[in-house]
Amino acid sequence: MADYQRMRDHMVEAHIKRRGIRDEYVLNAMRAVPRERFVAEGMAEFAYEDAPLALGEGQTISQPYIVALMIEAAEVRPGDRVLEVGAGSGYAAAVIGQIAANVYAIERHEALAVPARRRVSDLGYDNVEIFAGDGTRGFPDQAPFDAILVAAGGPAVPEALKEQLAIGGRLVIPVGEEFGQRLYKVVRRTAASYEETDLGAVMFVPLIGEQGWSEDGRRAASNHKPGASRKQSLPEMIAEVAEDLPNFDDPAFGHLFDRFGDRRVVLLGEASHGTAEFYSARAAITRYLIAHQGYTIVAVEADWPDAARVDRYVRHRSASGREEPPFTRFPTWMWRNTEIQALIEWMRKHNAAIDAEGRTGFYGLDIYNMSGSIGAVLDYLDTVDPRAAAIARERYGCLTPWQKNPATYGRAALSRGYAECEQAVIDQCRDLLHRRLDYARHDGDAFLDAAQNARLIASAERYYRIMYYGGAESWNLRDTHMFETLQRLLDAKGPDAKAIVWAHNSHIGDARFTDMGATRDELNIGQLCREAFGGEAALIGFGTHTGTVAAAHDWDGDMEVMRVNPSRPDSYERMCHDAGGDSFLLDLSPGKHESLRRRLSEPRLERFIGVIYRPDTELWSHYSQAILPEQFDAYVWFDETQAVEPLGIEHHRGMPETYPFGE
């Protein structure tokens, strides 16, 4: 049985007090209200993670910190009459009701208002009333209010809400037409004067209503003019500007990406680690940029020493007799597949006609050797504590923020087995690192290899200790390491060097415009490239509606070819699917298709599948909110996709001994 009170207390201490909330009224109210009663069915164990959770109807229950921040900013006090706009599940209204005398909450979706009303009634919160209606008009029958809190972002502060404030009343509301929502506090000083304070950047669902946004994403006041023609739907707008993709082997495919050929760094994403079309498309773009735009660095989300063996092969360098075969640890299919095999052979052939100094290299960006070290952890725990090993497998299945399981994190941290094994596991990771790096020091080609491996040794213990517990710090360390490795490659190759990066969408899409940056203080290599290179970095995401994918259900599990669920109706993927067309390129660059960019800037769900896929819990495990046109400069769409074809031993027979995937 879950100890929700303990989880609630931990939430207040770890996610609210530590982030600066000091109002004791707010802290005590957050400790009192059972958030697990307000989340969707089956989500109770996730209730006390500091993240928003989907409710249905395209709405979310706000993360606990944001709820606390808004109530503190509104200075809610005993005896106050409070209006909340955007009641959702009723959670924030219930928390406010622990402080205020009366709370009136308005939710525009009847399907959410009814169960919310039932929840607060069942819990005995008789000072909280929830209604269905247009919250942008306020609740004049119960005005004036001492505080008004709005849990959705509008184009401006609705005049109706300002007019319903008491003198001295406080209104807290997110405002912003596109991605740049800001949280504002408005205080009514006199009958005709208001004071506004900017509390910082936030990301909320849109405020729909008479004095907010209309359903089609425009300011409501500008709609429904007499004789006005029907406005295009978002899928229709996508279809109008989408550029059809030729076949991968058609030179016109690569030519479509010439528009990014002058960038210092082109980052190519993927919505899963096991989809053939994503690999084939990235390979076609990479071949074109190497052949026609002078790119000499291909840097991938793989470990440095594994990629180094491939690099020796494609650049016709001699192999080291001491090195192990590359990419033999889970997930082997991520880099050992037919699409990568074809790209490697093309790079080797292309480089054969070029002087050694000008050849294009293949490099790994990731922390060394994460998959190998995880394997060592699991081997050790299987021996000394199988229960801790089972927890570890679940934990390592959540290495991306899109797949984290907060309840498992909590169990792992409290596990006696984990606590007893921690130092031994860290020692084992460090020993493994030293052992595997030893052969890399004997690679005579480059100071770059030796220097990079030395840096990896220096940071190993800290990284694995952080990774052991999970959270933003481990993610940030990993992506910062990948970015710094990319920078060193560019520096080593000279001021004119240009790089192509392959990594998951969660790494290459700007984290500031996803839940990663907005709610969890996580960054990624895409964000760091934009901050360092500005317009010289192009971030290109990839997506699909349905098909098959190569993935495992758990870390270190067997690869399976799984069916990908059709995309959700409230997702960016569904908008692209409804646009029609089998495959297309959507150019999201600033200054292009601005009307579409504005419409796409409403936060929506986006799907992220890594090496783990759990279709049965897809909404919770693989979707997160994002703002697509700020996350990426372009988006490559394949409506139906197929799983990658892994390479087995049978693919290597007859290959020369120098082949990087030879057994």
Side-chain angles (χ1 to χ4, degrees), residues 92-110:
V95 175
I96 297 167
Q98 296 293 301
I99 308 170
N102 299 97
V103 181
Y104 304 92
I106 303 175
E107 169 54 51
R108 75 184 184 95
H109 295 287
E110 181 76 24

Side-chain angles (χ1 to χ4, degrees), residues 13 113 208 237 470 565 643:
E13 293 298 319
I208 306 296
M237 294 180 71
N565 293 334

